[in-house]
Amino acid sequence: MRQMIHEFLRITDGITMGDFLGWILAAISGIIVYKLIDHFQTSMERHAMLKEVEDSFSAIYDSIIAKSNVNTKGKKLESVMVRSVLHDKCDWQVKQNTDGKMKNSHNIEDSQLYIQIRNYKENDRNCNEWISSQALHEIMLLCRRIEKMYKDKIIRRIDLSDLFREIVPLGMGGRMQFFYAYYEKYDADCVGYLVLQTIVSCNKYHNYEIVKTFVNYYQKHEEIHKFFEESIRIRPIRDFFAVKKFKRILRRFS
């Protein structure tokens, strides 16, 4: 220890206090510049990833891999964009066997597997709508990616709030029930987790209209509560306060 002190004094012999302060200020300035550059790079990477997510949603929804006879006056099915069957005129239908397996009608056409999601009457005509398994798989893959990005803190609450048009509708319109029957609980809980976090985010940033719309649907469909309140995707500690906030939101807007 004495040798270290002696060596320090030898090195600093003749150095004024002003030099010491200069070194300290230079070090602090270097740290600040480094942090600013790192923040800028991180922000740019985050925005690039978000744009990629938004572009991926648009690409899926713009893909002509759905079928509908709504525009043919209830006659022949025609190929339409996926976004055309994401309306809320009526919920997606789910038909299941006694063992819970989905038994919705399905058909293979143009190398695509189509599953019937709606069969309803409108103005005395039967309306049928189908969606391809490709669209369903791509939506689920994107949801998994967003979940990982959020849990790894790559994206933030403000980003989830901005993605509400893409995420929240997946938790309404019978789609949660459909995902559960089609994919089973593990994947369905991924969608539920994302919707929960997005609703909390929308409430934080005062996007109350979508919050009210979701809560209204949630209260009328008790069968989807398990995807949110009992989701296996929820982290007991890290997501504890988010779940508490979600429940407060339900009480507030009920």
Side-chain angles (χ1 to χ4, degrees), residues 19 31 45 76-77 79 88 95 100 104 109 118-119 126 129 149-150 204 212 223 233 245 249:
D19 292 331
I31 292 171
E45 290 173 0
K76 183 180 178 180
L77 288 169
S79 296
D88 290 318
K95 296 180 181 178
N104 283 32
E109 185 176 335
R118 289 193 184 96
N119 184 13
N126 289 322
E129 292 178 323
M149 290 171 67
Y150 177 73
K204 178 179 179 179
K212 292 176 184 177
E223 69 274 14
R233 302 280 187 157
K245 290 176 182 176
I249 291 168

Side-chain angles (χ1 to χ4, degrees), residues 8-19:
F8 175 77
L9 292 174
R10 187 184 67 79
I11 293 172
T12 58
D13 185 35
I15 297 176
T16 64
M17 182 60 68
D19 292 331

Side-chain angles (χ1 to χ4, degrees), residues 176-187:
M176 282 300 308
Q177 300 90 314
F178 184 93
F179 287 135
Y180 183 79
Y182 188 78
Y183 286 110
E184 299 185 353
K185 181 174 175 59
Y186 184 77
D187 287 312

Side-chain angles (χ1 to χ4, degrees), residues 80-114:
V80 296
M81 290 183 180
V82 171
R83 66 174 71 253
S84 299
V85 299
L86 295 179
H87 61 80
D88 290 318
K89 288 183 180 179
C90 66
D91 287 359
W92 286 17
Q93 67 179 18
V94 178
K95 296 180 181 178
Q96 294 175 285
N97 295 318
T98 54
D99 61 355
K101 297 294 183 181
M102 177 178 280
K103 63 174 185 178
N104 283 32
S105 298
H106 57 277
N107 185 40
I108 296 178
E109 185 176 335
D110 299 328
S111 300
Q112 288 277 359
L113 172 63
Y114 289 92

Side-chain angles (χ1 to χ4, degrees), residues 155-170:
I155 62 174
R156 306 169 185 171
R157 287 216 171 276
I158 184 63
D159 304 319
L160 289 181
S161 181
D162 290 341
L163 288 170
F164 80 95
R165 294 186 187 279
E166 288 76 22
I167 296 175
V168 177
L170 298 178

Side-chain angles (χ1 to χ4, degrees), residues 163-224:
L163 288 170
F164 80 95
R165 294 186 187 279
E166 288 76 22
I167 296 175
V168 177
L170 298 178
M172 302 187 295
R175 286 175 273 273
M176 282 300 308
Q177 300 90 314
F178 184 93
F179 287 135
Y180 183 79
Y182 188 78
Y183 286 110
E184 299 185 353
K185 181 174 175 59
Y186 184 77
D187 287 312
D189 279 359
C190 169
V191 179
Y193 177 85
L194 271 186
V195 174
L196 181 151
Q197 294 288 4
T198 304
I199 289 299
V200 173
S201 301
C202 288
N203 185 68
K204 178 179 179 179
Y205 292 102
H206 313 296
N207 187 358
Y208 296 130
E209 288 305 313
I210 189 62
V211 174
K212 292 176 184 177
T213 300
F214 173 79
V215 171
N216 182 55
Y217 180 86
Y218 185 89
Q219 299 294 7
K220 293 178 179 178
H221 295 80
E222 292 186 6
E223 69 274 14
I224 70 171

